[in-house]
């Protein structure tokens, strides 16, 4: 009898372990520690490729992370055609390792979905995946590309994030993951495309205090920037040590300029968030536009979500 009870207990334990394993396997965010509810902000950023989130929101992500907020950067594709010399599995692994290093520098977590680069589509399956990720992260803020960005993967990332902007609150869509009772705020990254409408920023963040961290993080993604990614060539990769140093410096400066040009382009808007004298001094910025489909924050709510502003 005692023996039978023991066997029942062991069987029950094995079943419990199997069920737990099945649930973990179902989780869209394998390998990520979903943070506890501790009153800190929960931010999830989507990019098409393993470098997009880091480029678009790396500085603000570092600011949030330094203040103890929880940031997850998601790449919807594995980046496996993003190089002029190499492709496939080895490139996907290389990019995963690069972006992991970048996340360590920024102090954030990351996920890369195993979808081929250049082949992302706004399918129902991918809509479920994006919805699950936002729900599992219990996001307050969701960021993504605008759906009129230049690259098809960027556009469809934009569409997928928009498509999730209401569905995350619908109980019987993906009922395997608890729905969100409060719709998050959804935001777009900037781009330069004018049709059908240009990017119009609602929030501008000075990233001067973390610009070196951001440039360091971008610098470790050598396949994409130092070597030039899909449109690079052998000429970008000198064998001479001194020229290699120069090339690294050139990449760093081009990204610094990119964030400087955002600060200059939206300088007038910076004064909405920083005292005038400070706004004039901001050198590097990141900018975001509110998507109409999620929660619509007022200025106080935006200040709560971006707790960096002195004004
Ligand atoms: Zn991209």
């Amino acid at each position: 009898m005692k023996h039978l009870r023991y066997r029942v207990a062991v069987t029950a334990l094995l079943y419990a372990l199997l069920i737990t394993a099945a649930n973990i396997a179902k989780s869209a965010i394998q390998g990520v520690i979903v943070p506890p509810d501790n009153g800190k902000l929960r931010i999830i950023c989507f990019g098409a490729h393993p470098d997009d989130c880091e480029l678009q929101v790396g500085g603000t992500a570092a600011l949030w992370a330094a203040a103890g907020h929880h940031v997850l950067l998601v790449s919807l594709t594995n980046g496996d055609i993003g190089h002029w010399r190499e492709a496939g599995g080895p490139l996907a692994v290389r990019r995963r390792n690069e972006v992991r290093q970048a996340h360590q520098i920024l102090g954030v977590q990351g996920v890369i979905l195993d979808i081929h680069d250049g082949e992302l589509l706004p399918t129902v399956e991918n809509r479920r995946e994006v919805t699950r990720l936002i729900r599992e992260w219990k996001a307050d803020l969701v960021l993504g590309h605008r759906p009129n960005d230049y690259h098809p993967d960027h556009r469809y990332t934009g569409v997928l994030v928009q498509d999730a902007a209401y569905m995350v609150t619908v109980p019987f869509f993906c009922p395997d993951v608890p729905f969100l009772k409060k719709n998050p705020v959804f935001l777009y990254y900037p781009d330069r495309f004018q049709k059908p409408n240009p990017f119009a920023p609602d929030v501008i963040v000075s990233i001067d205090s973390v610009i070196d961290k951001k440039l360091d993080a971008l610098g470790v993604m050598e396949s994409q920037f130092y070597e030039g990614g899909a449109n690079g060539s052998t000429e970008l990769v000198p064998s001479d040590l001194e020229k290699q140093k120069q090339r690294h410096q050139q990449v760093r400066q081009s990204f610094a300029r990119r964030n400087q040009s955002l600060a200059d382009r939206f300088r007038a808007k910076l004064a909405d968030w920083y005292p005038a004298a400070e706004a004039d001094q901001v050198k590097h910025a990141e900018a975001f536009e509110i998507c109409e489909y999620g929660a619509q924050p007022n200025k106080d709510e935006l200040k709560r979500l971006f707790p960096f502003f002195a004004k």
Side-chain angles (χ1 to χ4, degrees), residues 173-185:
F173 183 71
C174 290
D176 56 325
V177 183
F179 65 98
L180 297 184
K181 295 200 175 87
K182 198 171 161 233
N183 206 2
V185 172

mmCIF file with all atom_site columns, all heavy atoms in Angstrom, residues 173-185:
data_model
loop_
_atom_site.group_PDB
_atom_site.id
_atom_site.type_symbol
_atom_site.label_atom_id
_atom_site.label_alt_id
_atom_site.label_comp_id
_atom_site.label_asym_id
_atom_site.label_entity_id
_atom_site.label_seq_id
_atom_site.pdbx_PDB_ins_code
_atom_site.Cartn_x
_atom_site.Cartn_y
_atom_site.Cartn_z
_atom_site.occupancy
_atom_site.B_iso_or_equiv
_atom_site.pdbx_formal_charge
_atom_site.auth_seq_id
_atom_site.auth_comp_id
_atom_site.auth_asym_id
_atom_site.auth_atom_id
_atom_site.pdbx_PDB_model_num
ATOM 1   N N   . PHE A 1 173 ? -9.139 35.961 -27.900 1.00 0.00 ? 173 PHE A N   1
ATOM 2   C CA  . PHE A 1 173 ? -8.072 35.871 -28.899 1.00 0.00 ? 173 PHE A CA  1
ATOM 3   C C   . PHE A 1 173 ? -6.844 35.366 -28.145 1.00 0.00 ? 173 PHE A C   1
ATOM 4   O O   . PHE A 1 173 ? -6.452 35.958 -27.141 1.00 0.00 ? 173 PHE A O   1
ATOM 5   C CB  . PHE A 1 173 ? -7.793 37.236 -29.533 1.00 0.00 ? 173 PHE A CB  1
ATOM 6   C CG  . PHE A 1 173 ? -6.756 37.181 -30.625 1.00 0.00 ? 173 PHE A CG  1
ATOM 7   C CD1 . PHE A 1 173 ? -7.055 36.590 -31.845 1.00 0.00 ? 173 PHE A CD1 1
ATOM 8   C CD2 . PHE A 1 173 ? -5.482 37.689 -30.437 1.00 0.00 ? 173 PHE A CD2 1
ATOM 9   C CE1 . PHE A 1 173 ? -6.105 36.515 -32.857 1.00 0.00 ? 173 PHE A CE1 1
ATOM 10  C CE2 . PHE A 1 173 ? -4.524 37.625 -31.444 1.00 0.00 ? 173 PHE A CE2 1
ATOM 11  C CZ  . PHE A 1 173 ? -4.843 37.035 -32.653 1.00 0.00 ? 173 PHE A CZ  1
ATOM 12  N N   . CYS A 1 174 ? -6.266 34.256 -28.578 1.00 0.00 ? 174 CYS A N   1
ATOM 13  C CA  . CYS A 1 174 ? -5.150 33.621 -27.840 1.00 0.00 ? 174 CYS A CA  1
ATOM 14  C C   . CYS A 1 174 ? -5.520 33.404 -26.382 1.00 0.00 ? 174 CYS A C   1
ATOM 15  O O   . CYS A 1 174 ? -4.851 33.953 -25.477 1.00 0.00 ? 174 CYS A O   1
ATOM 16  C CB  . CYS A 1 174 ? -3.897 34.464 -27.870 1.00 0.00 ? 174 CYS A CB  1
ATOM 17  S SG  . CYS A 1 174 ? -3.106 34.557 -29.423 1.00 0.00 ? 174 CYS A SG  1
ATOM 18  N N   . PRO A 1 175 ? -6.560 32.631 -26.096 1.00 0.00 ? 175 PRO A N   1
ATOM 19  C CA  . PRO A 1 175 ? -6.970 32.471 -24.695 1.00 0.00 ? 175 PRO A CA  1
ATOM 20  C C   . PRO A 1 175 ? -5.948 31.725 -23.832 1.00 0.00 ? 175 PRO A C   1
ATOM 21  O O   . PRO A 1 175 ? -6.110 31.648 -22.626 1.00 0.00 ? 175 PRO A O   1
ATOM 22  C CB  . PRO A 1 175 ? -8.284 31.675 -24.813 1.00 0.00 ? 175 PRO A CB  1
ATOM 23  C CG  . PRO A 1 175 ? -8.235 31.025 -26.149 1.00 0.00 ? 175 PRO A CG  1
ATOM 24  C CD  . PRO A 1 175 ? -7.405 31.891 -27.035 1.00 0.00 ? 175 PRO A CD  1
ATOM 25  N N   . ASP A 1 176 ? -4.866 31.222 -24.456 1.00 0.00 ? 176 ASP A N   1
ATOM 26  C CA  . ASP A 1 176 ? -3.835 30.520 -23.674 1.00 0.00 ? 176 ASP A CA  1
ATOM 27  C C   . ASP A 1 176 ? -2.956 31.483 -22.883 1.00 0.00 ? 176 ASP A C   1
ATOM 28  O O   . ASP A 1 176 ? -2.224 31.060 -21.989 1.00 0.00 ? 176 ASP A O   1
ATOM 29  C CB  . ASP A 1 176 ? -2.968 29.648 -24.598 1.00 0.00 ? 176 ASP A CB  1
ATOM 30  C CG  . ASP A 1 176 ? -2.333 30.440 -25.743 1.00 0.00 ? 176 ASP A CG  1
ATOM 31  O OD1 . ASP A 1 176 ? -2.984 31.378 -26.246 1.00 0.00 ? 176 ASP A OD1 1
ATOM 32  O OD2 . ASP A 1 176 ? -1.197 30.121 -26.117 1.00 0.00 ? 176 ASP A OD2 1
ATOM 33  N N   . VAL A 1 177 ? -3.016 32.776 -23.194 1.00 0.00 ? 177 VAL A N   1
ATOM 34  C CA  . VAL A 1 177 ? -2.247 33.767 -22.419 1.00 0.00 ? 177 VAL A CA  1
ATOM 35  C C   . VAL A 1 177 ? -3.230 34.808 -21.882 1.00 0.00 ? 177 VAL A C   1
ATOM 36  O O   . VAL A 1 177 ? -4.031 35.347 -22.652 1.00 0.00 ? 177 VAL A O   1
ATOM 37  C CB  . VAL A 1 177 ? -1.196 34.482 -23.312 1.00 0.00 ? 177 VAL A CB  1
ATOM 38  C CG1 . VAL A 1 177 ? -0.358 35.441 -22.479 1.00 0.00 ? 177 VAL A CG1 1
ATOM 39  C CG2 . VAL A 1 177 ? -0.302 33.475 -24.008 1.00 0.00 ? 177 VAL A CG2 1
ATOM 40  N N   . PRO A 1 178 ? -3.193 35.073 -20.576 1.00 0.00 ? 178 PRO A N   1
ATOM 41  C CA  . PRO A 1 178 ? -4.160 36.023 -20.007 1.00 0.00 ? 178 PRO A CA  1
ATOM 42  C C   . PRO A 1 178 ? -4.158 37.367 -20.750 1.00 0.00 ? 178 PRO A C   1
ATOM 43  O O   . PRO A 1 178 ? -3.083 37.920 -21.007 1.00 0.00 ? 178 PRO A O   1
ATOM 44  C CB  . PRO A 1 178 ? -3.686 36.200 -18.557 1.00 0.00 ? 178 PRO A CB  1
ATOM 45  C CG  . PRO A 1 178 ? -2.856 34.995 -18.271 1.00 0.00 ? 178 PRO A CG  1
ATOM 46  C CD  . PRO A 1 178 ? -2.263 34.543 -19.579 1.00 0.00 ? 178 PRO A CD  1
ATOM 47  N N   . PHE A 1 179 ? -5.346 37.863 -21.101 1.00 0.00 ? 179 PHE A N   1
ATOM 48  C CA  . PHE A 1 179 ? -5.459 39.132 -21.821 1.00 0.00 ? 179 PHE A CA  1
ATOM 49  C C   . PHE A 1 179 ? -5.121 40.301 -20.900 1.00 0.00 ? 179 PHE A C   1
ATOM 50  O O   . PHE A 1 179 ? -5.163 40.170 -19.674 1.00 0.00 ? 179 PHE A O   1
ATOM 51  C CB  . PHE A 1 179 ? -6.878 39.286 -22.406 1.00 0.00 ? 179 PHE A CB  1
ATOM 52  C CG  . PHE A 1 179 ? -7.963 39.400 -21.372 1.00 0.00 ? 179 PHE A CG  1
ATOM 53  C CD1 . PHE A 1 179 ? -8.463 40.640 -20.991 1.00 0.00 ? 179 PHE A CD1 1
ATOM 54  C CD2 . PHE A 1 179 ? -8.497 38.270 -20.770 1.00 0.00 ? 179 PHE A CD2 1
ATOM 55  C CE1 . PHE A 1 179 ? -9.455 40.755 -20.034 1.00 0.00 ? 179 PHE A CE1 1
ATOM 56  C CE2 . PHE A 1 179 ? -9.505 38.377 -19.809 1.00 0.00 ? 179 PHE A CE2 1
ATOM 57  C CZ  . PHE A 1 179 ? -9.977 39.619 -19.436 1.00 0.00 ? 179 PHE A CZ  1
ATOM 58  N N   . LEU A 1 180 ? -4.796 41.431 -21.499 1.00 0.00 ? 180 LEU A N   1
ATOM 59  C CA  . LEU A 1 180 ? -4.484 42.628 -20.705 1.00 0.00 ? 180 LEU A CA  1
ATOM 60  C C   . LEU A 1 180 ? -5.772 43.392 -20.412 1.00 0.00 ? 180 LEU A C   1
ATOM 61  O O   . LEU A 1 180 ? -6.562 43.643 -21.327 1.00 0.00 ? 180 LEU A O   1
ATOM 62  C CB  . LEU A 1 180 ? -3.509 43.540 -21.459 1.00 0.00 ? 180 LEU A CB  1
ATOM 63  C CG  . LEU A 1 180 ? -2.118 42.970 -21.769 1.00 0.00 ? 180 LEU A CG  1
ATOM 64  C CD1 . LEU A 1 180 ? -1.256 44.040 -22.439 1.00 0.00 ? 180 LEU A CD1 1
ATOM 65  C CD2 . LEU A 1 180 ? -1.419 42.443 -20.520 1.00 0.00 ? 180 LEU A CD2 1
ATOM 66  N N   . LYS A 1 181 ? -5.954 43.766 -19.157 1.00 0.00 ? 181 LYS A N   1
ATOM 67  C CA  . LYS A 1 181 ? -7.162 44.525 -18.800 1.00 0.00 ? 181 LYS A CA  1
ATOM 68  C C   . LYS A 1 181 ? -6.987 45.986 -19.199 1.00 0.00 ? 181 LYS A C   1
ATOM 69  O O   . LYS A 1 181 ? -7.953 46.694 -19.427 1.00 0.00 ? 181 LYS A O   1
ATOM 70  C CB  . LYS A 1 181 ? -7.429 44.397 -17.316 1.00 0.00 ? 181 LYS A CB  1
ATOM 71  C CG  . LYS A 1 181 ? -7.763 42.943 -16.933 1.00 0.00 ? 181 LYS A CG  1
ATOM 72  C CD  . LYS A 1 181 ? -8.490 42.841 -15.596 1.00 0.00 ? 181 LYS A CD  1
ATOM 73  C CE  . LYS A 1 181 ? -8.903 41.406 -15.342 1.00 0.00 ? 181 LYS A CE  1
ATOM 74  N NZ  . LYS A 1 181 ? -7.846 40.618 -14.687 1.00 0.00 ? 181 LYS A NZ  1
ATOM 75  N N   . LYS A 1 182 ? -5.729 46.416 -19.246 1.00 0.00 ? 182 LYS A N   1
ATOM 76  C CA  . LYS A 1 182 ? -5.452 47.803 -19.618 1.00 0.00 ? 182 LYS A CA  1
ATOM 77  C C   . LYS A 1 182 ? -4.655 47.799 -20.924 1.00 0.00 ? 182 LYS A C   1
ATOM 78  O O   . LYS A 1 182 ? -3.583 47.182 -20.990 1.00 0.00 ? 182 LYS A O   1
ATOM 79  C CB  . LYS A 1 182 ? -4.621 48.433 -18.491 1.00 0.00 ? 182 LYS A CB  1
ATOM 80  C CG  . LYS A 1 182 ? -4.614 49.917 -18.505 1.00 0.00 ? 182 LYS A CG  1
ATOM 81  C CD  . LYS A 1 182 ? -3.961 50.474 -17.239 1.00 0.00 ? 182 LYS A CD  1
ATOM 82  C CE  . LYS A 1 182 ? -3.560 51.904 -17.491 1.00 0.00 ? 182 LYS A CE  1
ATOM 83  N NZ  . LYS A 1 182 ? -2.180 52.206 -17.207 1.00 0.00 ? 182 LYS A NZ  1
ATOM 84  N N   . ASN A 1 183 ? -5.185 48.465 -21.930 1.00 0.00 ? 183 ASN A N   1
ATOM 85  C CA  . ASN A 1 183 ? -4.454 48.523 -23.197 1.00 0.00 ? 183 ASN A CA  1
ATOM 86  C C   . ASN A 1 183 ? -3.186 49.361 -23.014 1.00 0.00 ? 183 ASN A C   1
ATOM 87  O O   . ASN A 1 183 ? -3.241 50.452 -22.456 1.00 0.00 ? 183 ASN A O   1
ATOM 88  C CB  . ASN A 1 183 ? -5.359 49.138 -24.278 1.00 0.00 ? 183 ASN A CB  1
ATOM 89  C CG  . ASN A 1 183 ? -4.971 48.683 -25.678 1.00 0.00 ? 183 ASN A CG  1
ATOM 90  O OD1 . ASN A 1 183 ? -4.052 47.886 -25.860 1.00 0.00 ? 183 ASN A OD1 1
ATOM 91  N ND2 . ASN A 1 183 ? -5.669 49.196 -26.669 1.00 0.00 ? 183 ASN A ND2 1
ATOM 92  N N   . PRO A 1 184 ? -2.039 48.860 -23.475 1.00 0.00 ? 184 PRO A N   1
ATOM 93  C CA  . PRO A 1 184 ? -0.821 49.670 -23.364 1.00 0.00 ? 184 PRO A CA  1
ATOM 94  C C   . PRO A 1 184 ? -0.864 50.889 -24.294 1.00 0.00 ? 184 PRO A C   1
ATOM 95  O O   . PRO A 1 184 ? -1.737 50.983 -25.161 1.00 0.00 ? 184 PRO A O   1
ATOM 96  C CB  . PRO A 1 184 ? 0.286  48.707 -23.828 1.00 0.00 ? 184 PRO A CB  1
ATOM 97  C CG  . PRO A 1 184 ? -0.309 47.361 -23.907 1.00 0.00 ? 184 PRO A CG  1
ATOM 98  C CD  . PRO A 1 184 ? -1.790 47.541 -24.082 1.00 0.00 ? 184 PRO A CD  1
ATOM 99  N N   . VAL A 1 185 ? 0.128  51.770 -24.117 1.00 0.00 ? 185 VAL A N   1
ATOM 100 C CA  . VAL A 1 185 ? 0.353  52.849 -25.088 1.00 0.00 ? 185 VAL A CA  1
ATOM 101 C C   . VAL A 1 185 ? 1.269  52.281 -26.171 1.00 0.00 ? 185 VAL A C   1
ATOM 102 O O   . VAL A 1 185 ? 2.263  51.625 -25.872 1.00 0.00 ? 185 VAL A O   1
ATOM 103 C CB  . VAL A 1 185 ? 1.026  54.060 -24.396 1.00 0.00 ? 185 VAL A CB  1
ATOM 104 C CG1 . VAL A 1 185 ? 1.449  55.098 -25.420 1.00 0.00 ? 185 VAL A CG1 1
ATOM 105 C CG2 . VAL A 1 185 ? 0.088  54.661 -23.359 1.00 0.00 ? 185 VAL A CG2 1
#
